[in-house]
Amino acid sequence: MRDDIKRLNKRIKEEILILPVRQCTKDSLEKAIFGSLSFYTYLPLDILDTTKDRECYLAKTIDLSLYAILYVASVVFTDKLFDHQMNIKSHKLFVEYNFFIKEYAVRGLQETIGSESKFWMSFDALKYKLFANSSFTNHDFNGGEEELFIKLLNKSSLIGAYISAMQIIVQEELEWDKILDALNKFHKAFQLVDDYEDLIEDAKNDQLNYYLYVG
């Protein structure tokens, strides 16, 4: 395993350990970060590999990787809780992810990125896009297949924040448009797999799902 990945993994485990949440939440968080969400966990390091002087940006990139994946995990888990409807048990998870993990992540991002207004304006816009399109059901959505894809991909809109943050950290001219285009293509495949895995639950709760809507 690469040294930078070892450093990041160690840092993530250390930070999860001190989070003021239940052990079961820490376990599920760590499992997701190194499992289903691992693409996002290591994305900043993957982008860093395209730079000429990666060592110069490595420390900041590890910070970004840590706080970004904690934020993404909090968003993903919250979305899942709403999709599957909340009970008393999931209410506790909702509180932990939104009032402890997400806030911890945002504070870390602020320390890492600073007060760069361009990033935070973009971040707020992406958050709005994410949450404005996360509550559709199969019955109240009206549109064609192309529009459906756009709505579903908006669930992953925070990926744009990764690009914005890395542009601030990496003081080099990279092919950012091509990187973003590649990520968008990945998310089409990712969303199709995610909808397939959630097919039964989405059918029960009438959540917007590509296969249920298109048929």
Side-chain angles (χ1 to χ4, degrees):
M1 185 182 293
R2 286 170 22 178
D3 287 341
D4 56 348
I5 294 178
K6 288 181 181 178
R7 283 177 58 183
L8 175 57
N9 290 352
K10 182 174 182 290
R11 180 82 184 282
I12 289 172
K13 290 178 180 180
E14 290 173 347
E15 296 294 326
I16 289 177
L17 193 63
I18 64 174
L19 286 171
V21 297
R22 294 170 299 166
Q23 186 60 47
C24 61
T25 303
K26 293 179 182 180
D27 292 342
S28 65
L29 179 62
E30 184 171 321
K31 182 180 179 181
I33 286 175
F34 295 123
S36 60
L37 299 178
S38 60
F39 171 82
Y40 302 96
T41 305
Y42 304 112
L43 177 58
L45 291 179
D46 290 336
I47 295 174
L48 191 65
D49 286 341
T50 66
T51 64
K52 296 177 181 177
D53 191 7
R54 71 187 312 279
E55 287 301 318
C56 178
Y57 314 118
L58 181 57
K60 278 279 190 181
T61 302
I62 287 177
D63 287 343
L64 173 65
S65 300
L66 165 67
Y67 298 118
I69 193 56
L70 288 177
Y71 189 91
V72 168
S74 71
V75 170
V76 169
F77 272 78
T78 300
D79 187 56
K80 294 291 185 185
L81 290 174
F82 276 113
D83 281 356
H84 300 159
Q85 300 185 358
M86 296 178 67
N87 52 37
I88 294 176
K89 182 179 179 181
S90 60
H91 179 74
K92 292 180 180 178
L93 277 173
F94 176 81
V95 170
E96 288 180 318
Y97 273 99
N98 280 276
F99 295 99
F100 293 103
I101 297 173
K102 184 185 287 185
E103 287 187 3
Y104 184 82
V106 170
R107 288 197 302 270
L109 287 171
Q110 289 172 335
E111 292 176 3
T112 303
I113 304 299
S115 58
E116 177 65 47
S117 60
K118 182 179 179 181
F119 169 79
W120 292 108
M121 288 175 63
S122 170
F123 189 57
D124 287 340
L126 290 167
K127 283 193 297 182
Y128 176 79
K129 183 187 290 186
L130 171 70
F131 292 111
N133 293 284
S134 63
S135 59
F136 280 102
T137 68
N138 288 300
H139 287 97
D140 63 21
F141 176 76
N142 294 303
E145 187 172 347
E146 184 176 347
E147 187 178 355
L148 173 62
F149 250 128
I150 293 173
K151 295 295 183 186
L152 292 174
L153 287 173
N154 280 341
K155 286 187 174 183
S156 304
S157 59
L158 284 176
I159 200 68
Y162 275 88
I163 302 300
S164 297
M166 285 300 290
Q167 284 178 306
I168 294 170
I169 291 173
V170 176
Q171 300 299 310
E172 294 181 17
E173 289 295 327
L174 301 180
E175 296 186 272
W176 298 109
D177 290 341
K178 289 185 178 180
I179 293 173
L180 187 57
D181 181 60
L183 289 173
N184 284 333
K185 289 177 179 176
F186 166 82
H187 276 298
K188 281 189 177 182
F190 177 85
Q191 189 61 56
L192 287 173
V193 172
D194 187 59
D195 276 13
Y196 181 78
E197 291 178 345
D198 290 345
L199 194 57
I200 295 175
E201 286 295 330
D202 285 349
K204 288 180 182 177
N205 300 316
D206 193 29
Q207 293 299 312
L208 187 60
N209 182 295
Y210 177 83
Y211 301 101
L212 293 173
Y213 187 79
V214 175

XYZ file of all heavy atoms in Angstrom, residues 30-75:
369
model
N -16.746 4.071 9.541
C -15.462 3.552 9.053
C -15.671 2.513 7.954
O -14.947 2.503 6.951
C -14.670 2.941 10.210
C -13.280 2.478 9.808
C -12.423 2.073 10.996
O -12.486 2.747 12.042
O -11.678 1.074 10.873
N -16.674 1.674 8.129
C -16.966 0.655 7.117
C -17.318 1.297 5.778
O -16.861 0.847 4.718
C -18.117 -0.232 7.592
C -18.471 -1.350 6.621
C -19.615 -2.202 7.158
C -19.983 -3.300 6.175
N -21.117 -4.127 6.682
N -18.111 2.359 5.824
C -18.514 3.040 4.588
C -17.340 3.767 3.942
O -17.146 3.712 2.722
C -19.640 4.022 4.888
N -16.548 4.454 4.760
C -15.427 5.234 4.234
C -14.413 4.348 3.517
O -13.879 4.723 2.465
C -14.750 6.023 5.375
C -15.644 7.200 5.789
C -13.366 6.519 4.964
C -15.136 7.971 6.991
N -14.164 3.170 4.064
C -13.190 2.267 3.447
C -13.856 1.223 2.551
O -13.175 0.357 2.003
C -12.357 1.575 4.526
C -11.493 2.520 5.307
C -11.607 2.601 6.683
C -10.591 3.350 4.668
C -10.811 3.479 7.413
C -9.795 4.238 5.381
C -9.908 4.301 6.756
N -15.177 1.328 2.421
C -15.908 0.376 1.591
C -16.658 1.062 0.467
O -16.070 1.464 -0.538
N -17.961 1.239 0.656
C -18.819 1.748 -0.418
C -18.483 3.172 -0.856
O -18.764 3.558 -1.990
C -20.285 1.682 0.019
O -20.506 2.456 1.186
N -17.877 3.962 0.036
C -17.547 5.353 -0.302
C -16.059 5.552 -0.595
O -15.592 6.688 -0.690
C -17.967 6.289 0.840
C -19.456 6.327 1.185
C -19.700 7.254 2.368
C -20.284 6.768 -0.018
N -15.332 4.469 -0.747
C -13.874 4.573 -0.874
C -13.436 5.365 -2.111
O -12.362 5.971 -2.113
C -13.238 3.181 -0.889
O -13.728 2.409 -1.970
N -14.262 5.364 -3.142
C -13.924 6.167 -4.321
C -13.731 7.628 -3.925
O -12.769 8.282 -4.343
C -15.026 6.051 -5.376
C -14.859 7.016 -6.525
C -14.004 6.730 -7.570
C -15.552 8.224 -6.541
C -13.845 7.627 -8.624
C -15.399 9.124 -7.584
C -14.546 8.825 -8.629
N -14.654 8.136 -3.109
C -14.578 9.526 -2.663
C -13.432 9.726 -1.671
O -12.801 10.781 -1.647
C -15.891 9.937 -1.998
C -17.091 9.799 -2.887
C -17.885 8.659 -2.837
C -17.432 10.798 -3.787
C -18.992 8.522 -3.655
C -18.539 10.672 -4.609
C -19.312 9.532 -4.542
O -20.398 9.388 -5.359
N -13.182 8.708 -0.856
C -12.129 8.806 0.153
C -10.783 9.123 -0.484
O -10.030 9.971 0.008
C -12.023 7.488 0.943
O -13.301 7.168 1.503
C -10.998 7.603 2.061
N -10.492 8.449 -1.578
C -9.168 8.579 -2.193
C -9.155 9.474 -3.430
O -8.113 9.623 -4.071
C -8.627 7.187 -2.538
C -8.580 6.273 -1.336
C -9.427 5.169 -1.238
C -7.719 6.538 -0.278
C -9.400 4.342 -0.118
C -7.681 5.720 0.846
C -8.529 4.629 0.918
O -8.499 3.823 2.037
N -10.287 10.074 -3.754
C -10.364 10.920 -4.944
C -9.351 12.066 -4.935
O -8.665 12.291 -5.945
C -11.789 11.457 -5.112
C -12.014 12.415 -6.280
C -11.640 11.750 -7.608
C -13.468 12.886 -6.309
N -9.210 12.824 -3.836
C -8.211 13.901 -3.856
C -6.788 13.394 -4.118
O -6.011 14.052 -4.816
C -8.339 14.519 -2.456
C -9.754 14.248 -2.067
C -10.024 12.873 -2.604
N -6.452 12.230 -3.571
C -5.123 11.668 -3.820
C -4.973 11.257 -5.284
O -3.889 11.391 -5.867
C -4.872 10.463 -2.912
C -4.705 10.752 -1.417
C -4.489 9.451 -0.652
C -3.546 11.710 -1.167
N -6.052 10.764 -5.872
C -6.010 10.407 -7.297
C -5.767 11.645 -8.154
O -4.991 11.610 -9.120
C -7.325 9.739 -7.717
C -7.492 8.354 -7.113
O -6.469 7.734 -6.768
O -8.648 7.903 -6.976
N -6.446 12.733 -7.806
C -6.240 13.982 -8.546
C -4.814 14.483 -8.342
O -4.166 14.965 -9.276
C -7.258 15.051 -8.096
C -8.682 14.613 -8.458
C -6.940 16.403 -8.744
C -9.764 15.537 -7.932
N -4.321 14.332 -7.122
C -2.968 14.788 -6.803
C -1.923 14.071 -7.652
O -0.861 14.632 -7.958
C -2.683 14.569 -5.315
C -1.422 15.218 -4.752
C -1.519 16.738 -4.821
C -1.193 14.776 -3.309
N -2.206 12.839 -8.038
C -1.263 12.065 -8.856
C -0.997 12.706 -10.214
O -0.008 12.374 -10.873
C -1.788 10.639 -9.064
C -1.649 9.786 -7.814
O -0.845 10.144 -6.933
O -2.355 8.761 -7.716
N -1.873 13.602 -10.641
C -1.698 14.245 -11.949
C -0.837 15.504 -11.866
O -0.561 16.121 -12.897
C -3.065 14.616 -12.555
O -3.688 15.627 -11.754
C -3.981 13.401 -12.629
N -0.415 15.880 -10.659
C 0.372 17.105 -10.495
C 1.864 16.826 -10.641
O 2.310 15.682 -10.556
C 0.117 17.740 -9.113
O 0.586 16.851 -8.088
C -1.367 18.007 -8.905
N 2.624 17.887 -10.812
C 4.074 17.763 -10.960
C 4.781 17.704 -9.608
O 5.828 17.091 -9.478
C 4.613 18.944 -11.770
C 4.106 18.997 -13.208
C 4.626 20.236 -13.921
C 4.097 20.312 -15.347
N 4.549 21.556 -16.036
N 4.222 18.371 -8.607
C 4.879 18.468 -7.302
C 3.914 18.022 -6.210
O 3.492 18.807 -5.374
C 5.343 19.911 -7.060
C 6.257 20.029 -5.848
O 6.635 18.979 -5.289
O 6.582 21.165 -5.457
N 3.568 16.733 -6.223
C 2.540 16.224 -5.314
C 2.941 16.343 -3.849
O 2.090 16.552 -2.984
C 2.167 14.785 -5.663
C 3.211 13.743 -5.364
C 2.830 12.365 -5.896
N 1.482 11.965 -5.579
C 1.123 11.444 -4.406
N 2.024 11.314 -3.444
N -0.118 11.069 -4.194
N 4.225 16.207 -3.532
C 4.658 16.282 -2.136
C 4.365 17.651 -1.534
O 4.094 17.771 -0.342
C 6.152 15.972 -2.021
C 6.502 14.508 -2.227
C 5.799 13.592 -1.236
O 5.727 13.953 -0.035
O 5.316 12.527 -1.655
N 4.407 18.659 -2.366
C 4.153 20.022 -1.908
C 2.720 20.190 -1.417
O 2.453 20.968 -0.503
C 4.445 20.997 -3.049
S 4.124 22.729 -2.653
N 1.799 19.443 -2.027
C 0.373 19.590 -1.714
C -0.182 18.432 -0.884
O -1.367 18.426 -0.554
C -0.439 19.684 -3.014
C 0.126 20.617 -4.047
C 0.525 20.144 -5.297
C 0.264 21.974 -3.788
C 1.044 20.996 -6.258
C 0.785 22.835 -4.744
C 1.173 22.335 -5.977
O 1.688 23.188 -6.925
N 0.657 17.456 -0.549
C 0.158 16.215 0.045
C -0.521 16.428 1.396
O -1.608 15.891 1.639
C 1.298 15.203 0.188
C 0.910 13.841 0.778
C -0.192 13.184 -0.052
C 2.132 12.924 0.855
N 0.090 17.190 2.287
C -0.475 17.371 3.630
C -1.867 17.988 3.567
O -2.807 17.525 4.227
C 0.454 18.238 4.478
N -2.011 19.028 2.755
C -3.312 19.684 2.608
C -4.326 18.750 1.954
O -5.520 18.766 2.293
C -3.167 20.952 1.761
C -2.691 22.171 2.521
C -3.842 22.830 3.251
C -3.434 24.175 3.819
N -4.554 24.806 4.557
N -3.858 17.951 1.019
C -4.756 17.030 0.325
C -5.269 15.949 1.270
O -6.432 15.541 1.191
C -4.046 16.391 -0.885
O -3.601 17.420 -1.770
C -4.983 15.461 -1.638
N -4.425 15.492 2.169
C -4.862 14.512 3.168
C -5.906 15.132 4.093
O -6.917 14.499 4.428
C -3.657 13.972 3.964
C -2.844 13.021 3.077
C -4.112 13.257 5.242
C -1.587 12.481 3.720
N -5.684 16.384 4.495
C -6.686 17.086 5.308
C -8.020 17.158 4.566
O -9.084 16.882 5.133
C -6.211 18.503 5.635
C -5.091 18.530 6.658
O -4.895 17.515 7.357
O -4.405 19.569 6.760
N -7.947 17.554 3.303
C -9.165 17.659 2.497
C -9.851 16.304 2.376
O -11.077 16.205 2.529
C -8.833 18.195 1.103
C -10.001 18.195 0.107
C -11.104 19.147 0.565
C -9.520 18.557 -1.291
N -9.078 15.261 2.110
C -9.641 13.915 1.964
C -10.401 13.504 3.217
O -11.508 12.949 3.138
C -8.529 12.900 1.681
O -7.838 13.218 0.496
N -9.817 13.779 4.370
C -10.433 13.420 5.645
C -11.769 14.124 5.843
O -12.807 13.475 6.054
C -9.485 13.774 6.792
C -10.113 13.802 8.194
C -10.538 12.405 8.612
C -9.143 14.414 9.194
N -11.750 15.447 5.788
C -12.962 16.203 6.106
C -14.023 16.085 5.011
O -15.226 16.093 5.300
C -12.608 17.662 6.377
C -11.701 17.824 7.565
C -10.423 18.371 7.439
C -12.101 17.386 8.826
C -9.582 18.495 8.536
C -11.266 17.499 9.929
C -10.006 18.055 9.777
O -9.177 18.162 10.866
N -13.577 15.952 3.775
C -14.535 15.808 2.677
C -15.289 14.486 2.778
O -16.510 14.443 2.589
C -13.822 15.909 1.333
N -14.584 13.403 3.103
C -15.271 12.108 3.165
C -16.193 12.040 4.376
O -17.254 11.406 4.326
C -14.269 10.928 3.158
C -15.013 9.607 2.908
C -13.472 10.853 4.446
C -15.837 9.576 1.637
N -15.834 12.710 5.461
C -16.751 12.765 6.605
C -18.024 13.512 6.226
O -19.134 13.119 6.608
C -16.074 13.443 7.801
C -14.976 12.642 8.504
C -14.340 13.473 9.615
C -15.525 11.340 9.084
N -17.863 14.581 5.456
C -19.038 15.341 5.021
C -19.886 14.513 4.058
O -21.111 14.430 4.202
C -18.617 16.652 4.355
C -19.794 17.557 4.088
C -20.195 18.495 5.030
C -20.527 17.449 2.910
C -21.297 19.307 4.800
C -21.628 18.251 2.677
C -22.005 19.180 3.625
O -23.106 19.964 3.395
N -19.241 13.910 3.071
C -19.969 13.096 2.093
C -20.700 11.948 2.790
O -21.861 11.657 2.483
C -19.008 12.549 1.015
C -19.690 11.465 0.181
C -18.533 13.675 0.110
N -20.035 11.304 3.740
C -20.665 10.197 4.469
C -21.902 10.677 5.217
O -22.934 9.997 5.231
C -19.668 9.572 5.440
N -21.816 11.853 5.825
C -22.968 12.378 6.562
C -24.137 12.655 5.624
O -25.294 12.396 5.962
C -22.579 13.653 7.327
O -22.357 14.739 6.455
N -23.839 13.164 4.430
C -24.888 13.442 3.445
C -25.510 12.144 2.938
O -26.735 12.011 2.853
C -24.322 14.259 2.263
C -25.331 14.333 1.123
C -23.954 15.661 2.715
